[in-house]
Amino acid sequence: MKYAIVIADGAADFALDDLGGQTPFEAAHKPATDRISIEGYQGTVATTPAGMACGSDVCSMSLLGYDPRKYHSGRAPLEAEALGLELAESDWVFRVNLVTIADGRMLDHSAGHLSSEEGRALIHDLALTLDSPAPGTHADTAVNLLPGVSYRNLLVDRSGS
């Protein structure tokens, strides 16, 4: 027997007036997903260990059988792996999210879901502003900014401390 685990991350969302009080998932035309839910098995599971923040990184790790309390060290290492970035034991990697701020308040956690090309340009300009090497130049420096996907980017500290 073969199994498929479908993780509809974010599908619950919020009900929207524009969608007649439904969530985007409820309002979407999704015959294949509907068929799977009718013919397959469904269940619920608590995927957020006590004391940990509920997020796709923690919950997916838990759902796949890894104890996030033991293995989770943040989103940045997961993003680095997804980008195929090789890290040494002494490297530190941090997530650098691009956000929208106005009047001293964060208005959007994803900078309006900007494109990867727009994010790459902003990270490049930020690197120049910080007097760091431009992303992708592979300069031999301790700290490098690396473009990722959309608003999700990385800072790698190879100083060893």
Side-chain angles (χ1 to χ4, degrees):
M1 178 177 278
K2 294 182 180 181
Y3 296 92
I5 299 174
V6 178
I7 305 171
D9 188 22
D13 214 330
F14 293 103
L16 303 173
D17 291 337
D18 292 352
L19 298 175
Q22 293 182 308
T23 69
F25 196 70
E26 289 172 322
H29 176 71
K30 50 191 184 331
T33 303
D34 293 342
R35 182 173 174 204
I36 289 170
S37 74
I38 291 166
E39 295 179 15
Y41 295 95
Q42 298 180 39
T44 58
V45 62
T47 58
T48 308
M52 295 195 78
C54 178
S56 57
D57 51 338
V58 168
C59 297
S60 293
M61 188 175 277
S62 181
L63 187 62
L64 294 172
Y66 295 93
D67 182 352
R69 291 171 296 221
K70 181 176 179 181
Y71 295 107
H72 185 266
S73 60
R75 289 181 181 262
L78 298 172
E79 296 276 343
E81 180 66 27
L83 293 173
L85 188 61
E86 292 187 31
L87 299 171
E89 281 281 327
S90 59
D91 290 347
W92 288 82
V93 61
F94 301 91
R95 215 15 217 263
V96 178
N97 284 5
L98 299 173
V99 300
T100 302
I101 296 179
D103 299 322
R105 297 177 58 113
M106 185 167 68
L107 301 179
D108 185 1
H109 76 282
S110 65
H113 291 288
L114 75 169
S115 69
S116 294
E117 183 178 312
E118 292 168 312
R120 191 174 297 108
L122 288 170
I123 289 296
H124 181 271
D125 290 349
L126 177 60
L128 296 177
T129 300
L130 298 175
D131 200 27
S132 293
T137 58
H138 304 292
D140 188 22
T141 59
V143 178
N144 288 292
L145 283 164
L146 301 168
V149 177
S150 183
Y151 66 93
R152 301 177 299 271
N153 303 277
L154 297 175
L155 181 140
V156 178
D157 179 349
R158 299 183 189 279
S159 67
S161 55

